[in-house]
Amino acid sequence: GNRTLRARQRAPRHMLVPSPARAAAAAAAAFVVNSAGADSSLLGIPGTWELKETRAGNLCMARAVFTQDPPGADEGRVTVSSPCFDTGSGAWRAIYTGDAPTFGWALDYERSTVLYSASRVEAARPGGTVKARGIIRAAKRSEPNKLAPVGTFEAQAKLPASASR
């Protein structure tokens, strides 16, 4: 109905979730990497991100571990663990088109899908630390198009000192 149409108009195109199976692609978020020839290693992937999340006013630390398959791919698996919520697993994806490459990840839980979307990223050189800020959104699995903001996050990942593989 009109309510669904209005919700779709408000949500950024990359955040629309047609089905939980496609949530990782929909989770892509505006990660701006100020570097020509960007690749996922500039995002500290594969690797570990340390997250500071605020959900419903509660601050919590979390850790996201990103893997690639095959190595060098712009997508893969992610697992997020925290003492504040159940460990979640899902998929991540980076898209390098236009002036604003995108990156996001989706976690599938029994009753919901949780999407992490960065609104700002500070790129780093090898040996430096990539930093990001963003929004956490969630939708019940029974209502995947009713994506709603549930919190925010700040994250960082230390890059290897050498860019060579």
Side-chain angles (χ1 to χ4, degrees):
N2 287 339
R3 186 174 180 183
T4 301
L5 180 60
R6 281 194 306 272
R8 285 185 175 272
Q9 289 170 342
R10 280 193 308 268
R13 180 175 164 81
H14 66 274
M15 292 306 300
L16 297 177
V17 183
S19 73
R22 291 185 237 154
F31 256 81
V32 178
V33 179
N34 296 320
S35 175
D39 66 42
S40 56
S41 67
L42 296 174
L43 296 173
I45 296 174
T48 302
W49 281 73
E50 300 297 329
L51 286 78
K52 183 167 39 171
E53 299 187 13
T54 303
R55 292 195 204 187
N58 297 315
L59 178 63
C60 193
M61 304 306 286
R63 175 173 287 176
V65 178
F66 296 92
T67 59
Q68 291 171 303
D69 188 24
D74 288 332
E75 60 187 30
R77 302 295 298 162
V78 59
T79 301
V80 177
S81 57
S82 170
C84 304
F85 51 85
D86 290 341
T87 296
S89 295
W92 68 270
R93 185 174 204 186
I95 303 167
Y96 302 103
T97 57
D99 293 334
T102 60
F103 174 80
W105 64 96
L107 304 177
D108 286 321
Y109 289 96
E110 183 178 338
R111 295 186 177 145
S112 65
T113 298
V114 179
L115 307 177
Y116 288 76
S117 173
S119 56
R120 182 174 171 200
V121 172
E122 296 175 25
R125 296 171 189 238
T129 300
V130 179
K131 296 179 182 178
R133 292 176 183 254
I135 295 174
I136 305 167
R137 294 178 174 93
K140 292 180 183 176
R141 289 180 71 94
S142 61
E143 301 176 308
N145 291 324
K146 292 188 177 180
L147 198 58
V150 295
T152 60
F153 71 91
E154 293 180 16
Q156 63 181 29
K158 179 86 170 148
L159 297 180
S162 171
S164 61
R165 293 181 181 249

